[in-house]
């Protein structure tokens, strides 16, 4: 009893509030609909008590549901791990390499970033995901990625059951002119008749569940591919953007240096093991990280400080070349842009040809930044902030201030 009380604390009960959000409600609703309909249809199609195959099919279906929910709730309630309030490095001299968070009253540890939704500095922050109503970071990155893997696999299994159920139940009722097709329909012709009658309502519900399963497979499968791509490089979405701006800074100032991402272990397997372990606990403590040879523990944070001091790379200027309606998943911007729409509550901004944007971060097919509402490039003017597709903008030529920078000043920087 004492151990149970130690687990159920007030703080843990407070975490249940995360369920009261449109993201978890929709996600759990889709899981519930697909799982329930798949179990009902599996009874209609392949009675689990009569054959070994039917039993295995039903057990696998339950197994998918349990594993999906386990990893989903792990990602939601375990959370990403937060930098302790008031944290500072053991060596006080190292604080010169770190940014200070006024909200958390602490230094930002390497790879950590402040989340405005969670209102805390998140360890190894990748992004804030509305579907789990929490950040994806150090502690829950593995659970979140496993959820992205298991959800499409479970939906593929469920979709197969839906298709076979509709086919077997309609086989004796409709004629499609397929008389030459030979299929064993014994499972559909058993006696007595199934407990759940397959009427018009059951057909409509199965068809609806099939659409949900196929849509989830495509959308979540794309997210899994994106996550695995950055995990195998031992990066996060934010760090990919920092690296891109680092290369842009070096190229513009013609510096004789090469930016090496410090946390890439040089092997995909080693990078993979930084997130996925047999114990389920990621390597390290979320504050200090193993680094590759030739890099400093604070190489990335030093680069961030350089970019913060350099106004030109802190916000890259873009000009709108094509109109954008502000749609969440715009079909007219291409398939890749449609399926890689950022999973975040942050808004999209409507763009018109000729407008200017200051982008502060981004993904491969999307950028995030501020739209300038007047003709001035001076920071502090009124702006609208949000996401927009990369393929509707282009980088602007340098403004007057950066154009007047001499070659000597560039090299000195």
């Amino acid at each position: 009893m004492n151990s149970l009380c130690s687990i159920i604390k007030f703080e843990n009960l407070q975490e249940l509030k995360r369920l009261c959000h449109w993201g978890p409600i929709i996600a759990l609703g889709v899981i519930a609909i697909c799982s329930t309909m798949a179990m009902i249809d599996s009874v209609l199609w392949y009675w689990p008590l009569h054959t070994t195959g039917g039993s295995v099919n039903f057990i696998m279906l339950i197994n998918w549901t349990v594993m999906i929910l386990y990893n989903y709730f792990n990602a939601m309630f375990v959370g990403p791990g937060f930098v302790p309030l008031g944290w500072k490095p053991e060596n006080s001299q190292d604080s010169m390499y770190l940014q200070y968070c006024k909200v958390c009253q602490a230094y930002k540890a390497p790879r950590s970033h402040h989340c405005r939704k969670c209102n805390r500095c998140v360890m190894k922050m990748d992004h804030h995901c509305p579907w789990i109503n929490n950040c994806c970071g150090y502690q829950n990155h593995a659970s979140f990625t496993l959820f992205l893997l298991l959800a499409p696999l479970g939906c593929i299994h469920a979709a197969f059951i839906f298709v076979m159920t509709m086919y077997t139940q309609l086989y004796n009722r409709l004629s499609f002119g397929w008389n030459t097709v030979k299929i064993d329909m014994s499972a559909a012709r058993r006696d007595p008749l199934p407990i759940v009658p397959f009427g018009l309502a059951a057909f409509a519900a199965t068809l609806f569940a099939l659409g949900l399963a196929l849509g989830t497979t495509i959308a979540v499968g794309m997210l899994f591919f994106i996550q695995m791509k950055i995990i195998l490089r031992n990066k996060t979405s934010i760090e990919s953007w920092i690296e891109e701006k680092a290369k842009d800074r070096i190229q513009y100032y013609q510096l004789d240096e090469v930016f090496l991402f410090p946390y890439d272990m040089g092997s995909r397997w080693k990078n993979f093991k930084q997130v996925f372990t047999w114990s389920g606990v990621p390597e390290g403590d979320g504050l200090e990280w193993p680094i590759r040879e030739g890099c400093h523990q604070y190489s990335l944070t030093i680069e961030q400080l350089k970019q913060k001091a350099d106004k030109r790379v802190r916000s890259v200027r873009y000009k709108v070349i094509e109109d954008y309606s502000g749609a969440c998943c715009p079909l007219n911007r291409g398939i890749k842009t449609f399926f890689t729409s950022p999973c975040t509550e942050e808004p999209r901004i409507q763009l018109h040809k000729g407008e200017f944007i200051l982008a502060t971060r981004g993904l491969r097919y999307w950028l995030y930044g501020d739209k300038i509402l007047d003709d001035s490039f001076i920071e502090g003017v009124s702006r609208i902030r949000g996401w927009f597709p990369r393929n509707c903008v282009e980088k602007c030529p340098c403004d007057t201030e950066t154009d007047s920078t001499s070659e000597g000043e560039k090299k000195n920087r």
Side-chain angles (χ1 to χ4, degrees):
M1 178 63 81
N2 292 334
S3 60
L4 180 62
C5 293
S6 64
I7 295 174
I8 305 176
K9 299 178 182 178
F10 178 74
E11 292 82 358
N12 301 105
L13 295 177
Q14 286 291 97
E15 287 292 308
L16 293 177
K17 290 184 178 179
R18 294 191 182 277
L19 293 170
C20 303
H21 183 265
W22 64 264
I25 290 173
I26 293 176
L28 293 174
V30 171
I31 294 172
I33 292 172
C34 291
S35 299
T36 303
M37 287 304 304
M39 291 179 187
I40 294 173
D41 285 0
S42 65
V43 172
L44 289 170
W45 167 58
Y46 210 171
W47 184 250
L49 300 181
H50 285 183
T51 61
T52 304
S55 301
V56 172
N57 174 70
F58 198 79
I59 292 172
M60 284 184 62
L61 194 59
I62 296 176
N63 187 51
W64 288 127
T65 305
V66 171
M67 289 195 300
I68 289 170
L69 290 175
Y70 174 78
N71 285 284
Y72 179 82
F73 288 126
N74 253 1
M76 178 187 291
F77 294 125
V78 171
F82 300 108
V83 177
L85 296 175
W87 180 86
K88 58 183 179 181
E90 294 182 2
N91 186 352
S92 59
Q93 294 182 350
D94 292 341
S95 59
M96 62 182 296
Y97 303 123
L98 301 172
Q99 298 183 55
Y100 187 78
C101 178
K102 296 180 180 179
V103 177
C104 299
Q105 295 293 305
Y107 287 95
K108 295 181 182 179
R111 312 190 78 175
S112 67
H113 301 274
H114 187 84
C115 174
R116 288 173 293 182
K117 293 290 182 181
C118 298
N119 203 33
R120 288 289 299 275
C121 286
V122 178
M123 293 190 290
K124 195 190 174 184
M125 180 179 176
D126 185 83
H127 68 287
H128 185 92
C129 178
W131 303 111
I132 62 173
N133 195 21
N134 208 339
C135 278
C136 174
Y138 165 67
Q139 290 184 351
N140 64 351
H141 204 171
S143 297
F144 180 76
T145 307
L146 286 174
F147 166 73
L148 297 183
L149 170 64
L150 294 170
L153 293 178
C155 285
I156 291 172
H157 186 189
F160 178 75
I161 293 175
F162 297 148
V163 171
M164 294 305 298
T165 301
M166 289 189 291
Y167 179 77
T168 54
Q169 293 298 318
L170 297 177
Y171 182 80
N172 291 328
R173 306 180 191 187
L174 300 176
S175 176
F176 297 100
W178 293 346
N179 296 328
T180 57
V181 178
K182 302 296 182 181
I183 300 178
D184 182 9
M185 301 302 297
S186 58
R189 296 173 178 172
R190 65 180 181 274
D191 190 27
L193 294 175
I195 299 174
V196 182
F198 193 81
L200 183 60
F203 174 77
T206 301
L207 195 62
F208 177 71
L210 176 62
L212 283 181
L214 293 177
T216 302
T217 300
I218 296 172
V220 180
M222 289 291 294
L223 293 177
F224 170 73
F225 175 77
I226 294 172
Q227 283 297 314
M228 283 305 301
K229 195 172 181 180
I230 61 176
I231 286 174
L232 294 177
R233 297 174 180 176
N234 203 12
K235 296 179 183 177
T236 64
S237 301
I238 297 175
E239 289 168 351
S240 297
W241 176 244
I242 293 173
E243 183 180 28
E244 182 179 336
K245 291 198 292 184
K247 293 177 180 178
D248 181 65
R249 179 184 64 84
I250 293 172
Q251 181 180 5
Y252 177 78
Y253 291 118
Q254 300 178 10
L255 301 175
D256 188 18
E257 64 180 77
V258 177
F259 177 76
L260 295 176
F261 185 73
Y263 307 115
D264 187 349
M265 297 292 98
S267 165
R268 290 185 177 183
W269 174 242
K270 290 181 180 179
N271 291 337
F272 181 84
K273 290 193 298 181
Q274 290 290 309
V275 176
F276 296 96
T277 60
W278 289 110
S279 63
V281 179
E283 291 191 4
D285 58 1
L287 300 174
E288 294 186 3
W289 305 91
I291 57 175
R292 64 189 296 176
E293 294 183 5
C295 291
H296 190 270
Q297 180 66 234
Y298 301 105
S299 292
L300 191 66
T301 56
I302 292 173
E303 176 59 34
Q304 288 178 260
L305 292 173
K306 290 180 180 178
Q307 294 177 10
K308 187 176 181 180
D310 188 350
K311 294 181 180 180
R312 196 197 64 82
V313 297
R314 183 172 55 184
S315 52
V316 182
R317 189 174 299 107
Y318 289 86
K319 182 178 181 181
V320 181
I321 57 175
E322 294 184 23
D323 291 346
Y324 167 55
S325 64
C328 180
C329 301
L331 276 171
N332 62 338
R333 304 312 310 173
I335 296 296
K336 293 181 178 179
T337 302
F338 177 81
F339 284 117
T340 57
S341 179
C343 291
T344 174
E345 291 179 294
E346 293 169 322
R348 276 62 170 171
I349 53 176
Q350 187 176 7
L351 302 178
H352 299 286
K353 187 175 180 179
E355 293 179 330
F356 293 94
I357 302 288
L358 291 176
T360 55
R361 54 190 168 94
L363 304 173
R364 184 172 183 180
Y365 298 103
W366 289 81
L367 290 170
Y368 182 88
D370 303 321
K371 180 167 71 170
I372 303 176
L373 298 182
D374 55 22
D375 295 331
S376 173
F377 291 127
I378 302 175
E379 291 193 7
V381 299
S382 180
R383 299 188 181 112
I384 298 175
R385 176 176 294 177
W387 289 94
F388 54 93
R390 275 183 183 265
N391 56 10
C392 68
V393 297
E394 66 178 4
K395 280 188 179 181
C396 285
C398 301
D399 58 16
T400 306
E401 179 184 350
T402 53
D403 276 342
S404 61
T405 305
S406 67
E407 294 297 322
E409 289 174 329
K410 290 181 181 180
K411 292 181 179 179
N412 290 334
R413 295 193 190 188

